[in-house]
Amino acid sequence: MTFLPSDSLVLGPRHKSFPPETWGRPVTDVIGTLDVTNGDFMTPAISLSESALRANVALLQRFCAAHGMKLAPHIKTTMSPEIVRAQLAAGAWATTVANVYQAAAMMDVSNRFLIANQVQDVRAIDFMGAIRDDNPDVEMMCWVDSVDGVCRMDAVLNARGQRHAVPVLVEVGLAGGRAGVRTLADAQHVAAAVSASSHLHLVGVCAFEGVIHSAEEVTRFLEFVAEVAFELSTASSEDTFIVSAGGTSYLEAVADELATRWADDSQMMVVLRSGCYVAYDSGVYARERRGLALAFAPAVHVWSTVVSRPEPELAILDFGKRETGTDCGFPTVEFRIPSGRGEVMAPPAGRIIAMNDQHTYFHLASGDPRGLAVGDVLGCGISHPCTTFDKWSVLPVVDDAWRLAGLVTTRF
């Protein structure tokens, strides 16, 4: 498992945080020469822990194998060919994406895609049809949740002279949630429309429980998903019928409620679609999964310099919303590197209270004697990797001593 671009990437000023002395040099030439703790990267900077990435990839793959599930990681989290290759090499069955564009961007990396969405854009439907007809080595399937949506897809595919049926899954949703049928009757109507279509065929049922914030409600929802899957699979002639669910927060529930139910049924294939597990975080997922046996490691840290101490209890840092997501909370300050010291220490007590595009406000707890000086560097754990990776075209991978050990690219 090597986290390096397959081509010889030459570093330059477009690669945020890499210092001028690396510009014009292949990234392989600078491996091992840059150290976060020595101030070798320009802030704001980001780092990915190599050991955490490796551990997270292996941990979820073992979990799926132990519970008889297939893994189709949602690669929208990283959109990184290097990380996705590592997930596939570890045994992932497929890759999940959010839209046709993300699948197209990764077709040189993966050949099986679950598009976890309804595809209703005419050009996107046409693209799926072309892939199905002209690229037999690539599998691409998407969700449907309405008769109107099925008919729209069928009409577009018919207009392009579709030769081979495009596989789809009926999405199950919940009241007040996102897309997906709300009742078993609705699911059966959509499945009947797919069966009547000349250009679509039903291969399974899917759902996403991550928008629910109660374990008890997740269990009830997955029981409903199982009911729909049982009824539609009974009417299906498919040798393999997919039942897919799972984010990162409640992946154990998917194993308990779906995989266990069909452990001895060779027709039913339970596919887990977790995405954030690979990089994890120190925020929303760490809170939601606190105390669970399956313990992922936060791999992402953002590094910033204290640029101003305008008030006794306020420090202004040189990173902001251009470097990390804030949709699930602000980052958490975890490390301090005093200016000129090259030593990773605990930070002073405090919390981030606001963020602008390029500035962050760190409020220090009164009475903490450690203080902060202009020029000190702070390392922050993030909350929600999905809205952090997209801020970076390249992300340095570091070893446990914070030295550059690799690099991953993104394709957002």
Side-chain angles (χ1 to χ4, degrees), residues 21 47 59 117 133 171 202 208 215 267 291 312-313 352 379 407:
E21 59 266 27
S47 67
L59 182 60
N117 215 332
D133 277 352
E171 182 178 11
L202 183 66
F208 178 60
Q267 182 194 19
E313 296 178 1
I352 291 172
L407 179 141

Side-chain angles (χ1 to χ4, degrees), residues 17-333:
S17 83
F18 279 88
E21 59 266 27
T22 66
W23 299 349
R25 299 173 61 187
V27 66
T28 50
D29 283 2
V30 300
I31 296 297
T33 68
L34 302 178
D35 188 325
V36 171
T37 64
N38 287 339
D40 293 337
F41 291 92
M42 295 191 295
T43 60
I46 195 166
S47 67
L48 299 178
S49 164
E50 181 179 34
S51 59
L53 288 174
R54 291 179 186 274
N56 293 342
V57 168
L59 182 60
L60 189 56
Q61 196 63 54
R62 288 196 303 269
F63 178 82
C64 287
H67 289 83
M69 296 189 294
K70 301 293 186 182
L71 177 61
H74 206 319
I75 64 175
K76 68 163 177 121
T77 299
T78 70
M79 282 300 288
S80 168
E82 295 79 25
I83 293 176
V84 175
R85 287 191 181 101
Q87 292 171 301
L88 291 169
W93 173 74
T95 48
T96 301
V97 293
N99 49 49
V100 164
Y101 154 72
Q102 290 180 357
M106 288 292 187
M107 282 177 58
D108 62 328
V109 179
S110 176
N111 65 354
R112 181 182 289 128
F113 297 94
L114 280 66
I115 302 175
N117 215 332
Q118 286 69 30
V119 176
Q120 292 298 308
D121 175 79
V122 172
R123 289 181 180 272
I125 297 169
D126 187 80
F127 179 82
M128 286 191 70
I131 292 297
R132 180 71 181 93
D133 277 352
D134 304 330
N135 293 268
D137 295 332
V138 178
E139 295 182 58
M140 201 173 286
M141 58 198 82
C142 70
W143 300 175
V144 291
D145 73 347
S146 69
V147 173
D148 287 347
V150 168
C151 292
R152 179 177 172 83
M153 288 191 74
D154 193 56
V156 173
L157 294 171
N158 186 66
R160 72 172 308 277
Q162 190 68 26
R163 302 189 305 276
H164 303 288
V166 172
V168 296
L169 294 84
V170 172
E171 182 178 11
V172 180
L174 71 158
R178 294 199 313 211
V181 297
R182 286 356 191 203
T183 68
L184 174 59
D186 287 342
Q188 291 170 324
H189 290 150
V190 175
V194 173
S195 296
S197 163
S198 301
H199 305 299
L200 302 174
H201 76 279
L202 183 66
V203 297
V205 164
C206 58
F208 178 60
E209 76 296 334
V211 294
I212 306 172
H213 300 292
S214 158
E216 293 76 15
E217 290 180 23
V218 167
T219 296
R220 287 195 293 272
F221 176 60
L222 291 176
E223 288 173 347
F224 173 53
V225 174
E227 178 189 5
V228 173
F230 174 78
E231 294 296 335
L232 298 194
S233 66
T234 301
S236 171
S237 60
E238 293 288 318
D239 293 334
T240 299
F241 194 85
I242 298 169
V243 186
S244 180
T248 295
S249 296
Y250 300 106
L251 56 91
E252 291 89 349
V254 175
D256 293 341
E257 299 301 326
L258 300 181
T260 301
R261 186 183 304 262
W262 288 299
D264 299 319
D265 190 329
S266 60
Q267 182 194 19
M268 307 297 278
M269 177 193 293
V270 177
V271 178
L272 185 70
R273 303 193 314 274
S274 306
C276 289
Y277 78 95
V278 70
Y280 208 52
D281 69 9
S282 303
V284 59
Y285 288 104
R287 291 191 298 272
E288 289 182 349
R289 294 189 55 81
R290 184 177 292 120
L292 295 178
L294 200 65
F296 299 105
V300 187
H301 290 92
V302 176
W303 302 87
S304 63
T305 299
V306 178
V307 295
S308 178
R309 288 297 319 276
E311 300 170 14
E313 296 178 1
L314 180 65
I316 303 300
L317 315 180
D318 69 348
F319 84 115
K321 296 178 181 180
R322 296 288 179 92
E323 283 72 47
T324 183
T326 59
D327 56 310
C328 292
F330 292 141
T332 304
V333 178

